[in-house]
């Protein structure tokens, strides 16, 4: 039995209140007070993981070192806490049911009727405690996706009720994140939606210990008292969360409101040590006081939903702060980009990032973007599909192989410069079967990437089925596109560069997943630096 304490974060009234940011900010404060903390997300949907989801549904699919395809909130957890998450940090209803049904098929329930209570709720409790039972954490914060009152959330709330009963009120607490809307016509903040959502929680047998109230206006003492009285919490346990200028302000704002203090107090943990936020605040200082501004184009096919590229835009923020530079993103829809309009669409940019993706929609636009930046010496970073498009562009326009393509888009191409990995040939199921997670890459010293990483062996996260076709390697290298990073075991080309270009780097892996506030990703830092140089030369 470990001594781990559990903090649940539930949501009320509406979705999109930022539970992930509140959970990450609280975790940051507790971590900086010296506690070891991790954050877990429970997603009440039936998909096993978001790997099979279109990014338009819930935004980007985030990938961990151990190859889990997860909710984008795990990206926030890592960016705030600077420690890796794993398979155990994201649990879905699909995973819960899958393991219960697998056990049933093996006969493990010994003839019993398998039911939501106790079998599904037991499995939820087990998944929550897996992290605690490692003994690695003083506190596990578990965010429950969705909104209280949703049918699919019910088993989760029941599992929380049981855990609170089993482990006690000083080992399990519930933070309810809710909305206190402002009615302009009445000139008033309204507490009723919060009262209703707390009532809903209470109907399931769970009383929240702390209310975090999202609001566009200051919540005064009278309103706090009213919320406390009708939601059955102490006044000091009503924490206001006003809109912030940046998500990275939220830990400081929550500290000012005393969220970490009330949490520790309720869990009977020491409040003596204050959170050490010096490095965090140094980042904020640089982020908020840039001395230059550059504009980077982000070319992708999901640009209507910026969350589809969350880790990339956050990595720009981290790398921008390192360079004391404000990075403005110009969103460019790959389907609207052509060789004819590339010059006008990309005019004035100091760098272009061609994004990851799947399938053939928008790929010709991505290729047009690569050609333009290559020919016009604009810094380029291609990620995964973006790197593959760079190889295709070079093969077509420099090597003259007009039909060069990837077998993902054109299975019959005579020049498959990108083709299916041998290990993927027998794969029939879509879920969880890509080349996923952390793999090593050996870097050559005479390269832009070595300048960035300052080391020859790196480990980066992956999510792909197709790869650089080594049959074309000699031709491509002789024509000026160098392979500067290679997987030492398989020979898979991980990085391509054009040394005659000011900064042209394509990577098969996803550097964006590993950029954090305290460890901005070296490749993004170098890319922004190249963009800054480009902006100065132009003037
Ligand atoms: N569709 C490409 C592949 O599977 C690239 C994947 C990606 O960009 N994440 O290899």
């Amino acid at each position: 039995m470990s001594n781990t304490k559990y903090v649940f974060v539930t949501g009320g009234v509406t979705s999109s209140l930022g539970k992930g940011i509140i959970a990450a900010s609280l975790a940051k404060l507790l971590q900086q007070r010296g506690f070891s903390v991790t954050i877990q997300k429970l997603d009440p949907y039936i998909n096993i993981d978001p790997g099979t989801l279109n990014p338009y549904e819930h935004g980007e699919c985030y990938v961990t070192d151990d190859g889990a395809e997860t909710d984008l909130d795990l990206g926030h957890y890592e960016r705030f806490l600077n420690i890796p998450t794993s398979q155990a940090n994201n649990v879905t209803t699909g995973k819960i049911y899958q393991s219960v049904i697998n056990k049933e098929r093996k006969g493990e329930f010994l003839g019993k009727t398998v039911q939501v209570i106790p079998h599904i709720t037991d499995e939820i409790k087990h998944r929550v405690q897996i992290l605690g039972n490692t003994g690695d954490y003083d506190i596990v914060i578990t965010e429950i996706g969705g909104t209280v009152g949703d049918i699919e959330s019910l088993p989760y709330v029941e599992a929380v009720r049981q855990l609170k009963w089993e482990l006690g009120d000083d080992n399990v607490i519930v933070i309810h994140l809710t909305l206190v809307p402002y009615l302009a016509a009445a000139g008033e903040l309204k507490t009723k939606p919060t009262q209703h959502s707390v009532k809903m929680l209470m109907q399931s047998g769970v009383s929240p210990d702390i209310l975090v109230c999202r609001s566009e206006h200051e919540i005064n003492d009278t309103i706090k008292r009213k919320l406390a009285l009708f939601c059955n919490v102490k006044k000091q346990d009503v924490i206001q969360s006003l809109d912030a200028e940046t998500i990275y302000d939220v830990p400081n704002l929550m500290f000012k409101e005393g969220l970490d203090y009330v949490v520790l107090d309720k869990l009977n943990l020491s409040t003596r040590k204050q959170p050490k936020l010096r490095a965090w605040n140094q980042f904020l200082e640089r982020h908020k006081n840039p001395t230059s501004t550059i504009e980077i184009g982000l070319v992708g096919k999901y640009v209507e939903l910026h969350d589809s590229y969350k880790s990339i835009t956050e990595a720009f923020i981290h790398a921008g702060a390192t360079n004391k530079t404000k990075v403005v993103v110009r969103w460019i829809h790959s389907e609207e980009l052509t060789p004819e309009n590339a010059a006008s669409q990309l005019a004035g940019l100091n760098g272009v990032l061609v994004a990851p993706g799947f399938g053939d929609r928008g790929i010709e636009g991505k290729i047009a973007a690569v050609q333009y930046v290559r020919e016009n010496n604009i810094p380029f970073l291609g990620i995964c599909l973006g790197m593959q498009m760079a190889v295709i562009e070079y093969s077509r326009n420099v090597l003259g192989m007009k039909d060069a393509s990837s077998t993902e888009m054109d299975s019959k191409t005579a020049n498959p410069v990108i083709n299916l990995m041998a290990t993927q040939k027998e794969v029939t199921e879509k879920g969880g079967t890509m080349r996923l997670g952390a793999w090593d890459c050996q870097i050559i010293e005479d390269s832009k990437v070595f300048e960035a990483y300052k080391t020859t062996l790196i480990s980066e996260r992956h999510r792909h089925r197709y790869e650089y076709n080594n049959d074309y390697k000699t031709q491509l290298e002789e024509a000026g596109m160098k392979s500067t990073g290679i997987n030492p075991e398989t020979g898979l080309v991980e990085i391509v560069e054009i040394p005659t270009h000011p900064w042209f780097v394509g990577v098969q892996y996803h550097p964006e997943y590993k950029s954090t506030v305290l460890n901005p990703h070296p490749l993004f830092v170098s890319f922004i630096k190249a963009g800054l140089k480009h902006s100065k030369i132009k003037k």
Side-chain angles (χ1 to χ4, degrees):
M1 204 42 197
S2 74
N3 296 324
T4 307
K5 309 270 184 175
Y6 296 91
V7 177
F8 289 92
V9 182
T10 58
V13 184
T14 72
S15 57
S16 304
L17 292 181
K19 277 195 298 275
I21 301 297
I22 292 293
S25 300
L26 170 63
K28 184 79 219 167
L29 292 171
L30 299 174
Q31 183 191 51
Q32 295 312 106
R33 280 179 184 260
F35 294 98
S36 121
V37 191
T38 190
I39 320 176
Q40 177 188 47
K41 173 102 191 254
L42 304 181
D43 274 311
Y45 51 66
I46 295 167
N47 303 67
I48 300 290
D49 60 45
T52 53
L53 288 173
N54 185 318
Y56 288 133
E57 295 282 311
H58 297 282
E60 149 189 298
C61 170
Y62 184 79
V63 179
T64 59
D65 273 337
D66 67 351
E69 296 179 280
T70 74
D71 184 79
L72 60 68
D73 272 333
L74 272 81
H76 290 308
Y77 306 162
E78 289 203 13
R79 288 187 282 273
F80 275 61
L81 292 187
N82 207 32
I83 52 169
T85 52
S86 68
Q87 298 276 357
N89 292 72
N90 195 189
V91 177
T92 65
T93 294
K95 279 189 187 153
I96 301 280
Y97 272 79
Q98 191 180 48
S99 47
V100 171
I101 290 169
N102 286 345
K103 279 187 203 155
E104 185 274 338
R105 290 289 81 183
K106 286 187 195 146
E108 287 182 21
F109 294 111
L110 305 174
K112 290 274 184 225
T113 308
V114 182
Q115 295 178 296
V116 172
I117 297 170
H119 303 101
I120 294 297
T121 45
D122 279 353
E123 183 65 25
I124 295 172
K125 287 190 290 179
H126 167 67
R127 296 286 184 135
V128 169
Q129 290 175 289
I130 283 179
L131 285 166
N133 290 342
T134 60
D136 294 339
Y137 304 106
D138 302 317
I139 304 163
V140 175
I141 299 178
T142 299
E143 174 193 348
I144 301 181
T147 309
V148 164
D150 297 344
I151 291 176
E152 55 262 49
S153 302
L154 284 173
Y156 292 95
V157 176
E158 168 61 12
V160 173
R161 186 195 69 75
Q162 291 182 20
L163 264 183
K164 220 167 154 42
W165 186 87
E166 286 166 4
L167 302 181
D169 286 340
D170 54 356
N171 288 317
V172 178
I173 63 166
V174 176
I175 298 175
H176 190 56
L177 177 65
T178 166
L179 177 71
V180 179
Y182 180 77
L183 283 194
E188 266 179 349
L189 285 169
K190 290 295 181 191
T191 65
K192 195 72 85 181
T194 298
Q195 293 183 41
H196 278 294
S197 91
V198 169
K199 201 186 257 176
M200 192 85 84
L201 253 183
M202 285 175 161
Q203 268 169 9
S204 307
V206 174
S207 291
D209 298 279
I210 296 166
L211 297 180
V212 175
C213 305
R214 285 298 309 273
S215 170
E216 289 169 357
H217 291 265
E218 197 76 28
I219 301 177
N220 65 27
D221 266 11
T222 317
I223 308 258
K224 276 193 181 167
R225 195 174 173 278
K226 192 170 170 190
L227 281 163
L229 178 64
F230 294 116
C231 299
N232 214 22
V233 296
K234 291 201 193 95
K235 193 170 137 256
Q236 67 174 39
D237 301 333
V238 179
I239 305 286
Q240 74 168 353
S241 166
L242 298 174
D243 292 349
E245 183 188 326
T246 147
I247 55 170
Y248 300 113
D249 275 336
V250 181
N252 283 313
L253 294 173
M254 288 301 101
F255 176 64
K256 241 186 249 150
E257 290 295 319
L259 176 62
D260 53 330
Y261 178 87
V262 291
V263 165
L264 290 173
D265 191 44
K266 286 185 189 300
L267 294 174
N268 270 337
L269 292 171
S270 165
T271 52
R272 250 179 301 132
K273 279 197 210 140
Q274 293 297 301
K276 293 193 182 110
L277 291 169
R278 201 158 148 250
W280 185 269
N281 287 333
Q282 278 168 352
F283 154 79
L284 272 177
E285 171 71 22
R286 285 193 302 273
H287 170 52
K288 290 187 176 182
N289 299 291
T291 50
S292 317
T293 300
I294 61 167
E295 195 179 6
I296 301 287
L298 202 166
V299 181
K301 66 169 169 175
Y302 305 112
V303 292
E304 301 92 329
L305 183 71
H306 294 181
D307 271 0
S308 307
Y309 304 106
K310 196 72 198 162
S311 293
I312 292 176
T313 51
E314 296 307 308
F316 282 152
I317 292 175
H318 310 151
T322 305
N323 284 291
K324 281 201 130 209
T325 299
K326 178 172 181 188
V327 181
V328 176
V329 175
R330 186 187 301 173
W331 298 91
I332 299 166
H333 204 302
S334 52
E335 276 186 300
E336 288 160 17
L337 200 60
T338 62
E340 292 71 39
N341 70 17
S344 63
Q345 289 240 17
L346 309 179
L349 291 175
N350 306 116
V352 167
L353 186 148
V354 175
F358 295 85
D360 59 6
R361 186 165 71 89
I363 61 147
E364 293 304 325
K366 288 187 168 173
I367 293 171
V370 178
Q371 181 174 8
Y372 184 80
V373 299
R374 180 177 58 76
E375 291 177 348
N376 290 281
N377 289 328
I378 298 170
F380 165 79
L381 178 56
I383 299 183
C384 208
L385 185 68
M387 172 265 199
Q388 298 176 352
M389 294 303 112
V391 174
I392 293 174
E393 192 279 325
Y394 211 76
S395 307
R396 285 188 190 175
N397 299 327
V398 179
L399 288 177
M401 301 187 304
K402 289 292 165 218
D403 57 352
S405 194
S406 161
T407 50
E408 180 178 8
M409 296 49 182
D410 179 0
S411 57
K412 297 200 175 61
T413 176
N415 283 302
V417 291
I418 303 294
N419 64 2
L420 194 63
M421 279 182 274
T423 48
Q424 288 286 322
K425 297 223 162 99
E426 307 300 318
V427 170
T428 49
E429 289 201 359
K430 288 267 183 274
T433 55
M434 282 188 248
R435 178 175 182 249
L436 290 165
W439 296 87
D440 283 348
C441 168
Q442 190 83 43
I443 282 176
I444 63 165
E445 286 195 19
D446 183 17
S447 65
K448 292 279 188 307
V449 280
F450 181 77
E451 273 173 38
Y453 287 96
K454 298 183 177 63
T455 174
T456 51
L457 187 65
I458 58 166
S459 167
E460 292 280 5
R461 300 182 191 172
H462 296 72
R463 183 172 187 247
H464 66 124
R465 294 187 201 280
Y466 295 82
E467 66 179 345
Y468 179 109
N469 184 346
N470 276 322
D471 292 348
Y472 293 87
K473 192 164 165 226
T474 312
Q475 277 184 75
L476 280 160
E477 296 229 309
E478 281 171 7
M481 177 173 266
K482 302 281 183 237
S483 316
T484 56
I486 288 178
N487 177 291
E489 276 155 45
T490 62
L492 185 147
V493 171
E494 293 274 5
I495 309 173
V496 294
E497 292 188 29
I498 302 175
T500 52
H501 184 283
W503 208 91
F504 188 104
V505 178
V507 291
Q508 185 56 75
Y509 54 84
H510 292 260
E512 71 276 22
Y513 294 144
K514 283 181 73 168
S515 186
T516 71
V517 166
L518 296 186
N519 276 106
H521 196 283
L523 209 50
F524 276 86
V525 172
S526 279
F527 177 50
I528 298 305
K529 199 188 254 172
L532 200 54
K533 202 164 156 195
H534 178 271
S535 75
K536 301 241 158 83
I537 291 168
K538 259 190 16 183
K539 271 177 201 157

